[in-house]
Amino acid sequence: MAQDHDEFEYKKATGRIDRLEVENFKSYKGHQQIGPFKNFTAIVGPNGSGKSNLMDAISFVLGVRTQQLRGSLKELLYSNSDTAEQAKPRRGYVKLVYETEEGAEVQFSRVIQPSNAEPAAAYSSVYKVDDKVVTWDAYSKRLAGFGILVKVRNFLVFQGDIEKVASRSPEQLTQLFEQISGSDALAKDYAEAAAAKEKAEAAAGLLFAKKKAVAAERKQKKEQKDEAERHMAALQEQRERRLYYYLWQLYHLQQDEAQALAQQADLAAQLEELTATAAGFEGQLATQRQAHGGLVKERMRLEKEQKKLQKKQAAKDPAKARLREEASRLTRKIAAGNAEVEALKRRAKAQVKTLAKLKKDLQALQDSRAQLEAQGAGDDAGLQLDAAQLAEYRKLKGEADAKTSRLLQDRTTLEAQLKVDEGTLSRLQEAASLKADRLQGQQQQLEQLQQRLGGLQDELQQLDRQLAAKKDAAKSAQAEHRKASSQREYLLGKLREVEGYLSASKSVRQATDRERRLAAAAAKLKKEVPGVYGRVSELVRVTNRKYNLAMAVVMQRDLDSVVVEDRKAGFACIDYLKASKLERMDFIPLDSCEARPLPERLRQLGGTATPALDLLQFDPQYERACLHVCGNTIVVDNVSEARQLCYDSPDHYKVVSADGTLFKPNGTITGGRSGNLDARANRWDADEYERLKQEREKLKGQIDALPDVRACNVAAQAFAGEVAQLELQAKYKQAELKQSQEGMEALQREVLLLEKAASDASADPAVAQLQQQVAQQQDALAKLEARVNGIRDKMFAAFSKRVGVPNIRVYEETTLAAAEKLEADRQRIDEQITAVSEQVTYEEKQQASAQLAEKQAALAADQQQLQEVQQKEAELEEAAGQLTQQAQQLEQQMEQLRQQAETAQAGMKDLQAQAASYQKDAGKLRGGMAAAATAVEAVRSSRHGLMEAAMLEQVELPYRDAADAEEQDAADAMDVDGEDADGDTQPGSTHKGKVLDFSLLSDSDKGATGKKQREAVGKRLKEELDAAAAELGASAPNMKALEQYEAVREKEKQQTAELEAARKAANAASKAFLRTQQQRTQRFSAAFEHIKNSIDFIYKQLTRSAVHPLGGQAFLSLENEDEPYSGGVNYIAMPPTKRFRDMDQLSGGEKSVAALALLFAIHSYRPSPFFVLDEVDAALDATNVARVAHYIRSCTRRELHGGDAAAAGPSSGGKRPR
């Protein structure tokens, strides 16, 4: 928030102006010194002697704007009509030497200077403090540090300011007070905060209306949801079938997922093993690539060297051509060297960043190496082989594999045959089991169907009884509807009669349309919004009837204000009014309304004077509201007593007489009678009106207690609908009974066929033959395995004994795999550390700064060489021979490098071929894993879709404790707490520690593992489910109401959250507005209270005399006490023996004295160390001039003797015309 500099930088000081120095300013030619000034100095002289120019000089140096100094900057310079234009000065200044209370001098200067040497140049002013140029802000802050406020201009009064002050309107006085107090700096923040508050409140009201509309929509969707739930009660059997169908699908999806996960885990293990093997080849390939790259780089370097030598040789032909070429080459070399110097500078910066990154990477690799060593140390507890033992193991392993290759091949063939026979046997056994299960299931279904037939007959009888009962209830509802209608008509007639009496009652005030609207709105608020107590006129009673009119005047518009518990309730009421488009109302929050305690002295004024608060009877909880409404207002019996209390007493009270005449402290008197005022007064004189109102409320209560006619009608219609529904259900039950009888006959025929098929399957000879064949193959496979292990154990017997293991399989399955992986990881990290270390060493050696110095030295040498070219002609032949020899050596080295690079390239191709082979195998494994993962995800997706579908169809899947499920086979439970918990539980539900219960499934349906079997079972279950749905399809209601209701509820929650956020924003905006309002009011009130308390004393000092020793009276009042800056400031001055009158009706001298009193009081609030007055006594006679001079002299003396100048007036003298 912006802060006013005067408010926070003002410091009271007691220094003075020592002297003025002017140069070429107005009538002062050249350099002139004026002063030193005394503590009280009067400047006198005839007209045109330069008094006003001195005033302008002081105003100019103290920062007053040029527009107020009777001329532009150029016109302020010294000018004489006899002086030629070219001889006129183009520069001038005014310097004020200020002496602080410690005796130190501070020099303030303002210089006028042109922008250029042209005659038509513009002029500007420069500010200096102690001969140092400063900005205007620093200049004004330094002045404010001595109590000199340029903006408020608290140090001088211009000629004519007295007349301006005397003629100011209340609004203009308010602007003056805002400048003096610094509250005008908050005007912009105040307006912005008010606009933000209004905008936030409007947004909250709009959201409240939206929330109300959503609530109505939710109510409608709730009715549709209830209807859907009632319909679902009739679909219980269909739900049971649907539950069974979902459980059957979920059970088989779980089996598929388990198989896919097992396949995925097997492929992952194979991929891990293959990846570890391929890592070694990748390391070798990287090393070979690095070596090959080094050879290629070296060869390229030699090629560049060779090209340079060839260029040098070509440049050494004829002497003259060589000299020209050498000079050109050196010139280009110097230019390239300069460019290279700049490149080296950039490279030095980049090299620092590169070294930091390389060292960071090296440290990370070393940390990884240490962690790997720690891991290897932790694994040393297992068996470790040295290099020799490892070589021996590999040799023996190769010999063992070669020796048992035939046995291993026979074992593979036998395993394949065994797998085929076992699959055939399993299929035959499953087929027999399925037939038996099918037979058992059909027999159970036959028994259930027989029981269902008996249940359907009982249900049909129950429906007949219910139908008869509902018909009787429908007749009773219609009779209740007729009775409620007749009673309502009778009570409504009585209510119309009472309301007619109320309208015709002469003892009751005739309320206006607006008052009726306000009363209705208050009643709605009290009913709808918590924390609303009612209107003020309803909560208080006047103790004495004769003061009704006076109290109506005291309360004025607050009679219709609504008392609420706190600000929150007030904002809620405002939101309700906006949403309902009701009239604006005022609200008085008990927790934050302004309520000052009633001073006890108001009860001791005497006469008939009584505080307005004491004339009211109210509940103690509403005391703050009554204090806020009544304030310190006094009520008296007659007008004369009211006038005396308001104007003749030391404290100016706000007084109301019994006839309604209002006397305000600012001199305003309001009186007269009006119908509206009488109507307000009659609010507390309506006993008959209240009795009629109570009777009306009683009748309304009886009407409200009657059964709702519409509800009775709806109930009768509901009973009729239930009767029709029961008749339809009875019809459906009869059709279902017939269909069940037909189904039982078909099921009996199917059971006979299944019994015959099961008997044939149990006597099949192929099953026994396959079982005997499988047993023989398993025995042969075990013997082959024993022979292979025996051969390997015999070949590794000595080796196993040396390394300390029972047999070589123990080492192969544990230690060897881990050791090989650890060694491969260690070798890979060591290679990376070596590469990064070499790169760091290389970068450190490539010092760009050293190269830069060398390059600069080389440039100097080239320049020197350019001058000495002619001296080296004899040495060129020998140099040419050396260059030829060097070129031959470079050619030999390049040939050697080429051969080495070809050898390295061939090795790289072999390694790349092996790596590609491994990558191809790994790709196949990854493809298999991806397919397995896709299968898992497909199963999980299907399962998740089933769970979501079950939730949407409101199918409650059964669960049981996971601890009980662990004792059974994994295929009988679906764990919802493990990795796939999201897929095993219904979306939106929580079943921690629970698993799905598949006990409802029959064994035959669980055993349908084949694709065709699953399709057959699924088709059967789906047909049964579709048949049940088709029977109820014609009467199905809107089942989407469940989803729509939840969506509307979410929308309502969102609207509630948005409304709460908008209300919080409105509260925040209101608080920000109140903070700004409070700050602005405090600043304004501080200045106003000080000036108000000082002005009466100063005015008495300026108007007292021997005849009138007490002097006159002067006081200030506010038109708006709550927001003083929004209204005017009334200044009332009553000279001795004069009655009260407006400022415009005073004489010129009286206005001047009153204006001087106001200026001196304003100066006392923020006094400057000096006060300059310019012809302030122009409109005063000799007597008043003497009084003003006496007052100024007395203030100056008090200042010199340590008195309180702030309360007495100016602290220094001023300029006088005489």
Side-chain angles (χ1 to χ4, degrees), residues 21-175:
E21 296 181 13
V22 297
E23 181 176 306
N24 297 328
F25 184 83
K26 282 209 167 183
S27 60
Y28 296 98
K29 180 179 180 182
H31 181 270
Q32 303 290 338
Q33 178 173 318
I34 306 171
F37 297 107
K38 304 300 182 182
N39 288 330
F40 182 85
T41 303
I43 312 246
V44 298
N47 292 334
S49 60
K51 302 187 300 299
S52 296
N53 291 340
L54 177 59
M55 183 72 173
D56 290 341
I58 296 174
S59 304
F60 177 73
V61 74
L62 292 178
V64 176
R65 300 179 63 183
T66 309
Q67 291 85 341
Q68 301 178 8
L69 299 179
R70 302 177 297 172
S72 62
L73 287 175
K74 183 178 180 180
E75 293 171 346
L76 293 179
L77 292 173
Y78 172 79
S79 176
N80 194 327
S81 58
D82 298 335
T83 306
E85 184 68 27
Q86 59 273 15
K88 291 182 180 179
R90 293 173 56 80
R91 187 180 184 278
Y93 69 87
V94 178
K95 179 186 294 184
L96 184 146
V97 181
Y98 177 80
E99 182 180 338
T100 65
E101 53 188 341
E102 293 83 6
E105 289 187 353
V106 181
Q107 297 180 359
F108 294 92
S109 304
R110 187 175 177 184
V111 182
I112 302 174
Q113 61 185 19
S115 59
N116 52 55
E118 298 296 329
Y123 285 80
S124 62
S125 58
V126 178
Y127 297 93
K128 296 182 179 181
V129 177
D130 292 334
D131 294 331
K132 294 181 179 179
V133 177
V134 297
T135 63
W136 162 244
D137 290 338
Y139 193 79
S140 62
K141 287 181 181 178
R142 189 66 185 274
L143 288 172
F146 294 115
I148 305 169
L149 305 179
V150 178
K151 181 180 179 181
V152 181
R153 222 170 65 189
N154 66 335
F155 53 86
L156 60 85
V157 178
F158 277 118
Q159 180 178 352
D161 282 357
I162 301 301
E163 289 78 3
K164 293 180 181 178
V165 172
S167 61
R168 284 180 182 264
S169 66
E171 291 73 17
Q172 292 173 336
L173 285 178
T174 301
Q175 295 177 1

Side-chain angles (χ1 to χ4, degrees), residues 140 231 259 267 300 353 639 649 657 780 793 882 1057 1080 1111 1113:
S140 62
H231 178 77
Q259 294 176 4
L267 292 173
M300 293 174 66
K353 296 181 180 179
V639 174
S649 62
S657 63
D793 291 343
Q882 292 177 356
R1080 191 178 182 187
Q1113 286 185 323

Side-chain angles (χ1 to χ4, degrees), residues 674-701:
S674 67
N676 185 35
L677 185 62
D678 292 337
R680 286 173 174 266
N682 287 333
R683 290 191 183 186
W684 297 292
D685 192 19
D687 295 337
E688 179 63 17
Y689 182 78
E690 290 298 330
R691 188 190 67 78
L692 291 173
K693 282 177 60 178
Q694 292 176 2
E695 184 177 355
R696 181 179 62 183
E697 295 300 325
K698 181 179 178 181
L699 288 172
K700 288 182 178 179

Side-chain angles (χ1 to χ4, degrees), residues 154-393:
N154 66 335
F155 53 86
L156 60 85
V157 178
F158 277 118
Q159 180 178 352
D161 282 357
I162 301 301
E163 289 78 3
K164 293 180 181 178
V165 172
S167 61
R168 284 180 182 264
S169 66
E171 291 73 17
Q172 292 173 336
L173 285 178
T174 301
Q175 295 177 1
L176 178 62
F177 273 73
E178 281 218 89
Q179 292 178 355
I180 295 165
S181 63
S183 65
D184 58 343
L186 297 173
K188 181 179 179 181
D189 295 337
Y190 177 85
E192 291 176 353
K197 172 176 172 291
E198 183 177 357
K199 182 179 180 181
E201 290 175 351
L206 179 61
L207 289 174
F208 181 81
K210 290 182 178 179
K211 180 178 179 297
K212 186 176 180 182
V214 173
E217 184 181 1
R218 177 185 57 78
K219 183 177 180 182
Q220 179 185 10
K221 295 301 179 184
K222 179 67 167 59
E223 294 175 355
Q224 296 179 3
K225 174 177 173 291
D226 294 340
E227 181 181 359
E229 289 176 348
R230 288 193 299 270
H231 178 77
M232 288 178 64
L235 304 179
Q236 186 60 35
E237 180 182 359
Q238 184 185 19
R239 289 186 176 182
E240 292 176 357
R241 293 179 181 276
R242 186 180 293 111
L243 172 62
Y244 190 92
Y245 183 57
Y246 278 120
L247 283 177
W248 179 80
Q249 293 181 87
L250 289 171
Y251 176 82
H252 287 289
L253 286 174
Q254 174 187 296
Q255 305 302 314
D256 295 343
E257 180 184 6
Q259 294 176 4
L261 286 173
Q263 181 182 3
Q264 187 179 12
D266 183 45
L267 292 173
Q270 296 179 27
L271 180 61
E272 182 179 1
E273 180 180 357
L274 186 61
T275 303
T277 305
F281 287 102
E282 290 293 337
Q284 296 177 17
L285 182 59
T287 303
Q288 196 72 11
R289 284 175 178 168
Q290 184 177 5
H292 180 264
L295 293 172
V296 172
K297 289 180 180 178
E298 181 65 19
R299 182 182 175 186
M300 293 174 66
R301 187 185 67 81
L302 292 177
E303 288 178 352
K304 292 180 180 179
E305 293 281 344
Q306 185 183 35
K307 289 180 181 180
K308 290 180 180 179
L309 291 176
Q310 291 174 355
K311 288 181 180 180
K312 289 181 181 180
Q313 287 177 345
K316 302 194 181 292
D317 291 339
K320 190 174 181 179
R322 182 193 62 78
L323 290 174
R324 287 198 302 267
E325 182 64 25
E326 184 67 7
S328 177
R329 185 185 67 81
L330 288 174
T331 302
R332 291 194 302 272
K333 187 176 180 182
I334 290 171
N338 289 327
E340 190 172 356
V341 165
E342 295 299 325
L344 286 172
K345 290 179 180 178
R346 294 192 296 269
R347 179 182 171 191
K349 294 181 181 179
Q351 188 179 34
V352 173
K353 296 181 180 179
T354 303
L355 277 173
K357 183 178 182 303
L358 288 173
K359 289 180 179 179
K360 183 178 180 180
D361 295 341
L362 181 60
Q363 183 62 37
L365 288 171
Q366 290 173 349
D367 294 342
S368 300
R369 183 67 164 80
Q371 293 177 2
L372 191 62
E373 290 298 334
Q375 180 182 356
D379 296 339
D380 285 344
L383 178 60
Q384 302 293 330
L385 298 181
D386 55 20
Q389 291 174 337
L390 189 61
E392 183 182 357
Y393 163 76

